[in-house]
Amino acid sequence: MSKAKKGMSYTRLEYINRVPLSRITRFTLGDNTSEYNYQVSLIASHNTMISSNALEAIRITTNKNLTRLLGPDTYKLKIIRYPHEIVREHKFMSFAGADRLSQGMGHAFGRPTKRAAKVSTGQKIITISVNKEGIDAAKTALKRSSKKLPVKYKIKIEQIRNHENT
């Protein structure tokens, strides 16, 4: 999944018989009602495709770390990218004598197996909204969960609103 797909997206569901479901169960976690001062984001440094399994693993790991470090209702976690892209794979036979039975890769279109999110350089993958006390915890949670990504990353901290004006 680490290669960026060139060309047009493959997302037309009406032409596909069995569409694989996205593995992500929830895109927003934490406390939606509170207002936060800072936003910590995980940003992709290369064009890539991230599978929905990897996005779900990032969500689970980040949420678990934030709950352990900050508590359950002191942050807002949001997955930005949605896995629209449908990935096709050509199945191979992998046993002794398979080369006589297999037809190879000639005109291989493959079957839909999973979904992926197309991510460009500099796009946000996941954001965490916290107050000033939670910035370090959000950074460590994103560093731990980013090991599940197929791409190098950057962590960006932005101030959403000025704390003195409230």
Side-chain angles (χ1 to χ4, degrees):
M1 293 297 328
S2 62
K3 263 183 130 173
K5 191 170 184 178
K6 295 177 184 174
M8 215 159 123
S9 291
Y10 188 69
T11 58
R12 294 289 299 267
L13 302 181
E14 61 265 23
Y15 299 127
I16 303 169
N17 293 337
R18 261 183 276 154
V19 179
L21 296 175
S22 174
R23 299 285 183 206
I24 302 176
T25 55
R26 295 173 64 191
F27 285 88
T28 306
L29 295 166
D31 188 11
N32 271 341
T33 58
S34 298
E35 291 188 14
Y36 300 101
N37 299 330
Y38 292 92
Q39 189 175 47
V40 184
S41 303
L42 189 70
I43 298 174
S45 48
H46 301 295
N47 294 342
T48 189
M49 300 242 309
I50 301 174
S51 69
S52 62
N53 291 341
L55 287 172
E56 177 68 5
I58 288 172
R59 182 191 70 84
I60 290 170
T61 307
T62 309
N63 188 38
K64 192 178 288 185
N65 283 319
L66 286 173
T67 305
R68 185 174 49 83
L69 295 172
L70 293 177
D73 291 328
T74 55
Y75 63 91
K76 182 173 89 172
L77 171 81
K78 186 168 184 175
I79 304 274
I80 304 293
R81 306 302 304 155
Y82 184 83
H84 288 291
E85 195 78 25
I86 297 167
V87 179
R88 293 181 162 268
E89 290 179 356
H90 182 68
K91 304 266 174 146
F92 284 108
M93 290 183 240
S94 58
F95 51 86
D99 54 337
R100 291 181 286 120
L101 302 173
S102 182
Q103 297 298 317
M105 280 296 287
H107 303 290
F109 191 55
R111 291 187 176 163
T113 55
K114 55 188 163 186
R115 284 183 174 248
K118 214 176 200 181
V119 180
S120 301
T121 305
Q123 276 188 330
K124 293 179 182 178
I125 300 169
I126 186 171
T127 61
I128 302 170
S129 300
V130 289
N131 289 323
K132 190 169 187 168
E133 307 83 41
I135 292 176
D136 292 333
K139 279 174 59 175
T140 56
L142 285 179
K143 280 181 186 175
R144 285 186 181 178
S145 63
S146 65
K147 293 181 178 25
K148 299 178 184 309
L149 281 178
V151 67
K152 290 185 180 181
Y153 63 91
K154 296 174 192 168
I155 294 176
K156 186 177 181 183
I157 301 169
E158 297 173 303
Q159 188 169 5
I160 299 172
R161 53 190 205 55
N162 197 351
H163 187 65
E164 292 143 6
N165 292 342
T166 58

